Amino acid sequence: MSSTTRNASRRQAPAGERVADWADGRLGVYSLAKSNMRKIFPDHWSFMLGEVCLYSFIIIILTGVYLTLFFHPSMNEVVYHGSYVPLQGQLMSEAFNSTLHISFDVRGGLLIRQIHHWAALIFIGGMLVHMMRVFFTGAFRKPREVNWIFGFLLLVLGMFTGFTGYSLPDDLLSGTGVRFMEGAILSTPIVGTYMSFFLFGGEFPGGDFVARFYTVHILLLPGIMMGLLVGHLILVFYHKHTQFAGPGRTEKNVVGMPLLPVYMAKAGGFFFLVFGVIAIIAAIASINPIWAIGPYRPDQVSTGAQPDWYMGFSEGLIRVMPGWEINFLGHTLVLGVAIPLIVVFPLVLVVIAVYPFLEAWVTGDRREHHILDRPRNAPTRTGLGVAWLTWYFVMLVGGGNDLWATHFHLSINSITWFVRIAFFVAPVLAFLVTKRICLGLQRRDRDKVLHGRESGIIKRLPHGEFIEVHEPLDADQLHTLTAHEQYEPAQLGPAVDENGVERQVSRGEKLRTKLSKGYYGEGNQIPKPTVEEYKEITSGHGHH
Amino acid sequence: MSNHDIPEENLPERSTAHGEVSVPDENPFADPGLPPHEHRIQDIDEGAARRSERTVALLFTISMLCTVGFIASYFAIPRDKSIFVFPIGHINAMNFALGLTLGVALFCIGAGAVHWARTLMSDVEIADERHAIEADPETKQKVLADFAQGAKESALGRRGLIRTTMFGALALLPLSGVFLLGGLGPKPEEKLRHTLWAKGKLLVNMNTDQPLRPADIPVGSLTFAKPDGLEESDEDFQQQIAKAALMIIRIQPENIKDKRELDWSHDGIVAYSKICTHVGCPISLYEQQTHHVLCPCHQSTFDLSDGGRVLFGPAGHALPQLHIGVNQDGFLEARGDFAEPVGPAFWERGAEK
C-alpha cells in the first residue's frame, strides 16, 4: 500500500524534476543553481572577446583529440608511399608522413587539421585582444588582479603550446623554427649547451624532440591551461562581471540580463558562431601546407621563412639585434642572441603581468572597482597600453623585414635600421600622441556636459548674430559622462612632522609621488565639470 | 574597504549606490536610476514575433540541411578531386564541401540562437546586488583563532627538531626528480666542436652524390657538398649534416682578400660551412657579383671573398672555412676538420680549442 502512495507521488513530479532531485541529493545542485541560474551578465560587445578565446580553446581540444588518432609522434625515417605524388619515394620522418596521411588520405582530415591551426591562431589573437579590453577599461583592478595573472599565464602558455604544436609535423619550415630555438638556447650563459643537449636528447635535431614536444603539446601545457581556464571562469562568476558606467549602474550592483535564458542562448549560440566561422575559414583558406614545404633537413631552407604570427615579435627582436659576441674569461657570451631572446622576450611579456600591481601602488587605492573606465578617462594608462602595442608592432615589422622588403621594394638594411630606432622611439611617440588624444576627448566630454550637444541648428538672433543651438544633455547622459573617478596626485607631505622632527622619505615614496603626478597631476587629466560650474553656466545668461 | 595609504580627501567620491537617487535639482550629475524598459517590436506586435520565430526556425532548418550535405559530401566526393572556386582558385573539393557544410551548419545554429535571444526572450534589464568579497571582522578573527589553535596543537613551533628535519627532508626530496631528468640527454663534451670532415675526406656533390673535381665548379656557381660516406639513409644523417653541410664557390684567386682564405682554397675554389653562425639556419642565397651570401632566416650577410666575415645582420662571428685541396686522383678533398665549431655560438665555444 505504501508503495502505491510512493508511486502516486512520484507520478506527480515531472521527470526533469525527479532527475534534479536525484542529483541534488548527491551533488547539491539546487544550492548551486540558486545563485547562478539567473546570474546577471551585463551586455557590451567587448565582453564577447573572452568568449572567442574560450570557444576557440574548446574547438582546439576537440579537433586536437581527433588529430592524435592519426598522428605518429616519431622521428623514425620512412619512405613515403601515400597519395601525394610529388613526395612519393622520399625519405621523411613518421611525423611528417602521418601529417601527409591526415592531409591526403583521411577523409576530412585536412579540414580538421586546418580548423585546429586556424583556431589556434584565433585563440592567441583573441587572448591578446581580450587582454587589451581588460587593460584599457581598467578591469584588472582590485579584486581582479589574480584573474589578470591567470589570463596572462594562459596567453604565455598558449604561445608555447602553439609553438610546440607547429613544430610537430617536422616539416622544413617548423624544423627551421626549432633550429632557431636551439640557437637561442645555446646562447644561454653557462648552462645553454647542456639545456640544448637535454632538450634534444643529444645533438640537434636528434630523434627525440617530436615525441617530447608531443607530450608537452597535448598533455602538459593543455592540462595546465585547462586548470587555469577553469579558475579564470570561476573567478569571473565569483567576482561578477564588470560594467560600464550608466544610469542605474553602480559599484554595488551589476545590471544586465540573466544567464537563463538570455546568456544561455547568446553565449551558447556564440560558440556555434565562432566554430562555424573557423570551419568556413578552414574550408576556403589553406594554412601550413606542409606538403608544399617538404620534410625537414637541417641543411635546407626556404626563403620568406616566418613563424606563426604570435611568435613574430621574438623573430623581430632577433633580426634587428646587432650581432654582439664577446669573450668573457675564455667563454663566449652570445649577447646578440641572449639579449633579445633571454632578456627582452620575457620582459615584453612580464611587463603585462605586473602592470596592475604597479598602478595599484601608484594610486594607493585599496577599494574594489567594478565600474569600467573609458580609456580616455585614464590617459596615462591608455598611453602606456598603446605604447606597448606600438612596441609589439614595431617588433612584428622587424620579424617580417624580408617580406616588407620584397613587397614594398625597400632595402632590408634600411628597414632593419628603422626598426632598431623605432624600438626605442616609437613607443614614446605613441604614448605622447595617445595621451593628447585622450585629453582632447576628455575636454570634449567636459564641453558636452557644460554646454550641451551641438544640435546642428543655426539660429539668427534679433540683432543679426548667428548662433548654433546647443541641446542640453539629459540626466542619463550627464550622469554617464561625469560618473568616472578622478584621483588627486599623491603628496609627499611635510618634510618635518608635528614635533619638528625631520621625516624620512624613502626613495620608493618619492618615486610613487612622481609617478602619481604623471598619472593624475595637472595637465595629465582634465578636471571633470563640477556641479557648481554646471549650475553657473546653465542658470546664468542661458546659452551663448 | 579601507585605505591605508592615502588620506580620504585625495580619493574620488563614491558614486551613489543604487537606490539613493538624489533629486536632480541638487546634483544634476546624480544617478537617475535604471531607465524604463523600451519595448521591441516583437514585444508588442505578435506578427513581428511570429516572423522572428520563423526566421529562427529557418536558420535551424538550414543547419539540418547542411549536416545532411556534410554526410553526403563525405561519401560522394572523391578525395583527390579539385574544383575551381572564384576567387580562391583551384582547391580540394572535399575539404571545401566538408568545411562549408560544417561551417554553415554550425553558424546557423548560432545565428538562430542569438536571434531568438535578441528578439523573443525578455530584454528587461535586471540589477543584481554585489557583495563585498572581504570577510567581515568576526569571520576573519574566527579563522585566525582557528589557525592559531591548530598551529599550537601541532606543536610545530615548539618542537624545533621536527620542524628542521621536516623542512630538510621536503627540501631535499625534489633533488631525486632533478637527477632523473639528467637522463634526458648526453653531456655536450666536445660534440659541437667536431664534424665528419677529416684529412682526406672527399667533397661529394649533394645533388648528384658524385665526388667533386675542380672542373665541376665554374666561377660564379654555388655548389652544396657533404663528406664522402655520409648517406641520407644513415641513422645519424640529420645530426651530421646539421654540422657538416658545406657550400663551395669559385672566385678569381686575385679577388680573394683574406690571406688565410687564399691559403685554404684551391685555384679560387673556397669551401665554407653552410650553417649560419647566428642561430643555425642553412645559408642559401649567393650573390655572385659581390661574393656575398645571405641567410634567408634573419638576413645575416657574409663576405665569402674576405674570410666569411659578417657584413650585416645579427650574426656574431665569421663563417668557418674548410681547408681544401686536391688529391692525387684529381678530386677535391678536405685537409682536416673545421678549425672552429660551426653553427651558432655557445658558452664553451670560446674556451680552449
Side-chain angles (χ1 to χ4, degrees), chain A residues 107 142 193 203 212 240-241 248-249 252 254 256 269 296 298-299 319 325 330 332 366 401 479 535, chain B residues 4 26 29 31 74 110 125-126 128-130 134 184 206 238 243 274 297 299 317 347-348 350-351:
Chain A
R107 282 176 176 269
K142 189 184 171 184
T193 321
E203 284 182 76
R212 290 179 180 180
K240 297 191 173 145
H241 212 284
R249 286 149 171 82
K252 298 244 190 289
V254 50
Y296 181 57
D299 62 328
R319 285 188 185 197
E325 205 172 292
T332 305
R366 306 274 175 91
N401 61 357
H479 171 69
K535 284 190 174 156
Chain B
H4 311 278
E26 285 171 7
F29 304 152
D31 180 3
Y74 185 88
E125 286 191 318
I126 306 171
D128 241 5
E129 296 299 308
R130 285 183 198 275
E134 277 163 23
L184 279 174
M206 191 71 90
Q238 297 277 68
K243 289 187 296 182
K274 195 187 173 186
C297 290
Q299 293 84 41
H317 60 266
W347 176 251
E348 296 88 350

Side-chain angles (χ1 to χ4, degrees), chain A residues 216-512:
Chain A
V216 171
H217 176 73
I218 70 155
L219 179 70
L220 185 64
L221 294 181
I224 300 171
M225 288 174 75
M226 190 68 100
L228 286 169
L229 187 77
V230 170
H232 198 77
L233 291 176
I234 289 176
L235 283 178
V236 168
F237 264 71
Y238 179 60
H239 292 144
K240 297 191 173 145
H241 212 284
T242 51
Q243 59 190 352
F244 280 101
R249 286 149 171 82
T250 71
E251 291 281 7
K252 298 244 190 289
N253 71 7
V254 50
V255 176
M257 279 174 260
L259 179 63
L260 185 77
V262 176
Y263 275 91
M264 215 65 121
K266 271 193 178 177
F270 193 53
F271 167 74
F272 291 97
L273 289 179
V274 172
F275 203 164
V277 167
I278 293 178
I280 292 169
I281 293 174
I284 58 180
S286 161
I287 186 163
N288 200 15
I290 49 130
W291 54 89
I293 301 168
Y296 181 57
R297 280 262 309 251
D299 62 328
Q300 289 174 359
V301 74
S302 55
T303 55
Q306 288 289 325
D308 274 352
W309 76 268
Y310 48 84
M311 283 290 170
F313 79 100
S314 63
E315 183 81 7
L317 284 172
I318 193 83
R319 285 188 185 197
V320 301
M321 178 73 194
W324 297 342
E325 205 172 292
I326 57 170
N327 196 309
F328 176 75
L329 307 176
H331 288 284
T332 305
L333 257 182
V334 199
L335 298 177
V337 182
I339 289 179
L341 289 183
I342 297 168
V343 180
V344 184
F345 174 83
L347 194 73
V348 172
L349 297 172
V350 164
V351 292
I352 304 177
V354 299
Y355 183 80
F357 303 96
L358 174 85
E359 197 184 294
W361 178 63
V362 171
T363 60
D365 188 350
R366 306 274 175 91
R367 300 165 308 159
E368 290 182 14
H369 291 273
H370 303 291
I371 294 282
L372 296 172
D373 285 327
R374 296 170 84 200
R376 70 185 60 173
N377 289 332
T380 303
R381 177 206 294 155
T382 305
L384 289 173
V386 173
W388 185 92
L389 285 174
T390 309
W391 204 33
Y392 189 82
F393 282 114
V394 163
M395 290 182 262
L396 273 185
V397 170
N401 61 357
D402 51 341
L403 299 181
W404 285 86
T406 51
H407 282 68
F408 297 101
H409 303 285
L410 297 166
S411 149
I412 197 150
N413 305 32
S414 348
I415 297 171
T416 303
W417 269 106
F418 168 78
V419 172
R420 281 175 182 172
I421 295 165
F423 180 85
F424 296 100
V425 176
V428 178
L429 289 178
F431 175 79
L432 294 173
V433 170
T434 308
K435 205 162 160 180
R436 303 286 344 153
I437 292 173
C438 287
L439 293 175
L441 289 169
Q442 278 193 34
R443 279 197 191 90
R444 199 181 69 167
D445 284 351
R446 188 186 149 86
D447 285 352
K448 250 161 88 174
V449 167
L450 291 178
H451 305 292
R453 190 176 66 86
E454 289 175 5
S455 64
I457 298 167
I458 304 294
K459 193 161 105 181
R460 190 179 176 190
L461 299 180
H463 59 273
E465 185 191 346
F466 287 95
I467 58 159
E468 184 181 3
V469 178
H470 283 231
E471 274 176 14
L473 301 183
D474 61 25
D476 286 0
Q477 288 169 308
L478 282 180
H479 171 69
T480 307
L481 290 181
T482 53
H484 59 284
E485 306 183 327
Q486 287 192 322
Y487 290 98
E488 297 284 329
Q491 304 292 338
L492 260 187
V496 287
D497 65 11
E498 56 270 29
N499 301 324
V501 181
E502 225 173 288
R503 208 166 60 91
Q504 277 279 331
V505 183
S506 69
R507 207 172 286 169
E509 196 59 20
K510 280 184 192 152
L511 178 67
R512 198 177 82 100

